[in-house]
Amino acid sequence: MEQGWSLREAIDYYKGRNAPQDQQALVALLREVQEHSDGTIPAAALDEIADALKLKKTFLSAVVKRFPSLRTEEAPHLLEMCGGERCRKRGCRELHRYVEDAFQVKSGGVSKRGGFQFKVTGCMKNCPNGPSLKWDGTLYSGADQQLIQKLIDDK
Ligand code: FES
Protein backbone atom coordinates (compact mmCIF):
# COMPACT_ATOMS: atom_id res chain seq x y z
CA MET A 1 0.00 0.00 0.00
CA GLU A 2 1.04 3.55 -0.73
CA GLN A 3 2.72 5.59 1.97
CA GLY A 4 0.93 8.69 3.21
CA TRP A 5 -2.44 7.04 2.71
CA SER A 6 -4.14 5.14 5.42
CA LEU A 7 -6.75 2.43 5.06
CA ARG A 8 -8.10 3.33 8.49
CA GLU A 9 -8.64 6.97 7.47
CA ALA A 10 -10.26 5.93 4.19
CA ILE A 11 -12.64 3.62 6.06
CA ASP A 12 -13.53 6.39 8.52
CA TYR A 13 -14.08 8.85 5.68
CA TYR A 14 -16.49 6.59 3.82
CA LYS A 15 -18.20 5.58 7.04
CA GLY A 16 -18.95 9.29 7.42
CA ARG A 17 -20.45 9.15 3.92
CA ASN A 18 -22.80 6.41 5.02
CA ALA A 19 -20.97 3.31 3.82
CA PRO A 20 -22.05 0.54 3.87
CA GLN A 21 -25.74 1.55 3.81
CA ASP A 22 -24.96 3.65 0.77
CA GLN A 23 -23.50 1.11 -1.62
CA GLN A 24 -21.99 3.81 -3.82
CA ALA A 25 -19.89 4.97 -0.88
CA LEU A 26 -18.83 1.38 -0.19
CA VAL A 27 -17.79 0.87 -3.82
CA ALA A 28 -15.94 4.21 -3.78
CA LEU A 29 -14.02 3.02 -0.71
CA LEU A 30 -13.11 -0.25 -2.45
CA ARG A 31 -11.95 1.65 -5.54
CA GLU A 32 -9.80 3.95 -3.43
CA VAL A 33 -8.20 0.98 -1.68
CA GLN A 34 -7.51 -0.61 -5.05
CA GLU A 35 -5.91 2.57 -6.42
CA HIS A 36 -3.63 2.82 -3.42
CA SER A 37 -2.68 -0.86 -3.52
CA ASP A 38 -1.10 -1.32 -6.96
CA GLY A 39 -4.39 -2.09 -8.70
CA THR A 40 -5.68 -4.96 -6.56
CA ILE A 41 -7.51 -5.00 -3.24
CA PRO A 42 -5.45 -7.00 -0.72
CA ALA A 43 -7.27 -9.75 1.19
CA ALA A 44 -6.15 -8.16 4.47
CA ALA A 45 -7.79 -4.86 3.44
CA LEU A 46 -11.05 -6.66 2.68
CA ASP A 47 -10.91 -8.25 6.14
CA GLU A 48 -10.30 -4.89 7.77
CA ILE A 49 -13.15 -3.21 5.86
CA ALA A 50 -15.53 -6.05 6.76
CA ASP A 51 -14.60 -5.78 10.44
CA ALA A 52 -14.75 -1.99 10.59
CA LEU A 53 -18.09 -1.74 8.78
CA LYS A 54 -19.52 -4.84 10.48
CA LEU A 55 -20.10 -6.55 7.17
CA LYS A 56 -20.01 -10.23 6.37
CA LYS A 57 -17.02 -11.09 4.20
CA THR A 58 -19.32 -13.00 1.86
CA PHE A 59 -21.36 -9.82 1.32
CA LEU A 60 -18.22 -7.80 0.59
CA SER A 61 -16.97 -10.46 -1.84
CA ALA A 62 -20.34 -10.39 -3.60
CA VAL A 63 -20.09 -6.61 -4.01
CA VAL A 64 -16.56 -6.94 -5.42
CA LYS A 65 -17.77 -9.58 -7.89
CA ARG A 66 -20.60 -7.36 -9.09
CA PHE A 67 -18.13 -4.71 -10.23
CA PRO A 68 -15.66 -6.20 -12.72
CA SER A 69 -13.40 -3.16 -12.39
CA LEU A 70 -12.79 -4.09 -8.75
CA ARG A 71 -9.98 -6.60 -8.45
CA THR A 72 -8.81 -8.66 -5.53
CA GLU A 73 -5.52 -10.43 -4.99
CA GLU A 74 -7.18 -13.78 -5.64
CA ALA A 75 -8.72 -12.67 -8.94
CA PRO A 76 -7.02 -9.53 -10.19
CA HIS A 77 -8.72 -9.61 -13.59
CA LEU A 78 -11.76 -11.21 -15.15
CA LEU A 79 -11.73 -12.88 -18.56
CA GLU A 80 -15.21 -13.77 -19.78
CA MET A 81 -15.54 -15.61 -23.07
CA CYS A 82 -18.73 -16.04 -25.01
CA GLY A 83 -19.93 -19.62 -25.27
CA GLY A 84 -22.97 -18.74 -27.39
CA GLU A 85 -23.90 -20.62 -30.50
CA ARG A 86 -22.82 -18.05 -33.06
CA CYS A 87 -19.43 -17.54 -31.44
CA ARG A 88 -19.03 -21.32 -31.35
CA LYS A 89 -19.38 -21.34 -35.11
CA ARG A 90 -16.62 -18.76 -35.21
CA GLY A 91 -14.20 -20.86 -33.22
CA CYS A 92 -14.70 -19.80 -29.62
CA ARG A 93 -14.43 -23.41 -28.38
CA GLU A 94 -10.85 -23.59 -29.69
CA LEU A 95 -10.14 -20.32 -27.89
CA HIS A 96 -11.58 -21.68 -24.64
CA ARG A 97 -9.31 -24.70 -24.97
CA TYR A 98 -6.34 -22.45 -25.65
CA VAL A 99 -7.04 -20.51 -22.43
CA GLU A 100 -7.56 -23.73 -20.45
CA ASP A 101 -4.29 -25.25 -21.66
CA ALA A 102 -2.05 -22.19 -21.79
CA PHE A 103 -3.20 -20.76 -18.44
CA GLN A 104 -4.25 -23.94 -16.65
CA VAL A 105 -7.72 -22.85 -15.73
CA LYS A 106 -11.27 -24.11 -16.19
CA SER A 107 -14.36 -21.94 -16.51
CA GLY A 108 -15.33 -20.69 -13.06
CA GLY A 109 -11.77 -20.92 -11.79
CA VAL A 110 -8.83 -18.60 -11.26
CA SER A 111 -5.64 -18.94 -13.29
CA LYS A 112 -2.69 -18.58 -10.96
CA ARG A 113 -0.41 -18.60 -13.97
CA GLY A 114 -2.27 -15.77 -15.76
CA GLY A 115 -3.61 -13.96 -12.69
CA PHE A 116 -7.23 -13.81 -13.83
CA GLN A 117 -10.61 -15.35 -13.23
CA PHE A 118 -12.03 -17.22 -16.20
CA LYS A 119 -15.69 -17.67 -17.13
CA VAL A 120 -17.45 -18.97 -20.21
CA THR A 121 -20.74 -17.10 -20.51
CA GLY A 122 -23.83 -17.04 -22.67
CA CYS A 123 -24.26 -14.82 -25.72
CA MET A 124 -22.74 -11.36 -25.25
CA LYS A 125 -25.08 -9.83 -27.86
CA ASN A 126 -22.22 -9.14 -30.18
CA CYS A 127 -22.77 -12.14 -32.47
CA PRO A 128 -21.88 -10.62 -35.87
CA ASN A 129 -18.49 -9.60 -34.48
CA GLY A 130 -17.56 -12.77 -32.62
CA PRO A 131 -15.78 -14.52 -31.17
CA SER A 132 -16.59 -12.15 -28.32
CA LEU A 133 -14.88 -11.77 -24.99
CA LYS A 134 -14.87 -9.35 -22.10
CA TRP A 135 -11.81 -8.36 -20.15
CA ASP A 136 -12.69 -6.67 -16.86
CA GLY A 137 -16.10 -5.92 -18.31
CA THR A 138 -14.89 -4.36 -21.60
CA LEU A 139 -16.19 -6.10 -24.72
CA TYR A 140 -13.77 -7.16 -27.47
CA SER A 141 -14.75 -8.43 -30.93
CA GLY A 142 -12.98 -10.85 -33.26
CA ALA A 143 -11.07 -12.42 -30.37
CA ASP A 144 -8.06 -14.58 -31.13
CA GLN A 145 -5.10 -16.00 -29.22
CA GLN A 146 -3.01 -12.86 -29.83
CA LEU A 147 -5.66 -10.62 -28.27
CA ILE A 148 -5.98 -12.85 -25.22
CA GLN A 149 -2.23 -13.02 -24.79
CA LYS A 150 -1.92 -9.24 -25.15
CA LEU A 151 -4.65 -8.52 -22.57
CA ILE A 152 -2.96 -10.83 -20.11
CA ASP A 153 0.54 -9.48 -20.83
CA ASP A 154 -0.58 -5.84 -20.53
CA LYS A 155 -2.45 -6.20 -17.27
S1 FES B 1 -22.99 -15.90 -29.56
FE1 FES B 1 -21.26 -14.79 -28.91
S2 FES B 1 -21.93 -12.76 -28.90
FE2 FES B 1 -23.70 -13.89 -29.42
Side-chain angles (χ1 to χ4, degrees):
M1 261 181 223
E2 226 173 62
Q3 291 201 330
W5 177 87
S6 137
L7 174 59
R8 195 69 243 176
E9 281 174 25
I11 291 172
D12 288 345
Y13 174 76
Y14 285 100
K15 227 174 168 176
R17 303 190 73 192
N18 209 23
Q21 287 79 8
D22 178 347
Q23 194 170 303
Q24 276 191 341
L26 178 61
V27 171
L29 167 62
L30 292 166
R31 275 197 219 291
E32 188 171 319
V33 173
Q34 181 170 292
E35 275 166 29
H36 289 275
S37 311
D38 293 329
T40 56
I41 305 168
L46 280 179
D47 288 349
E48 199 171 331
I49 292 168
D51 285 349
L53 299 181
K54 299 190 181 11
L55 290 172
K56 285 204 172 125
K57 282 178 201 152
T58 46
F59 171 79
L60 207 49
S61 301
V63 171
V64 169
K65 278 197 189 122
R66 232 178 298 142
F67 291 85
S69 61
L70 293 174
R71 298 163 196 160
T72 60
E73 275 175 341
E74 290 77 21
H77 291 271
L78 174 63
L79 173 64
E80 295 168 284
M81 295 184 71
C82 181
E85 205 178 314
R86 291 182 70 187
C87 281
R88 260 187 266 152
K89 285 187 187 140
R90 291 171 184 261
C92 75
R93 278 239 171 100
E94 289 67 28
L95 282 178
H96 301 164
R97 261 191 295 260
Y98 162 72
V99 172
E100 287 173 358
D101 293 347
F103 301 98
Q104 295 180 348
V105 65
K106 293 266 180 230
S107 179
V110 174
S111 166
K112 292 229 161 56
R113 180 181 278 186
F116 61 88
Q117 193 180 352
F118 176 51
K119 270 188 203 161
V120 176
T121 72
C123 172
M124 292 181 173
K125 312 233 180 301
N126 184 44
C127 312
N129 308 309
S132 309
L133 67 75
K134 286 184 187 171
W135 179 254
D136 291 336
T138 301
L139 178 69
Y140 291 84
S141 300
D144 56 16
Q145 290 186 12
Q146 285 75 17
L147 171 69
I148 294 166
Q149 189 65 57
K150 185 174 179 333
L151 291 168
I152 292 165
D153 287 347
D154 290 354
K155 72 182 180 337

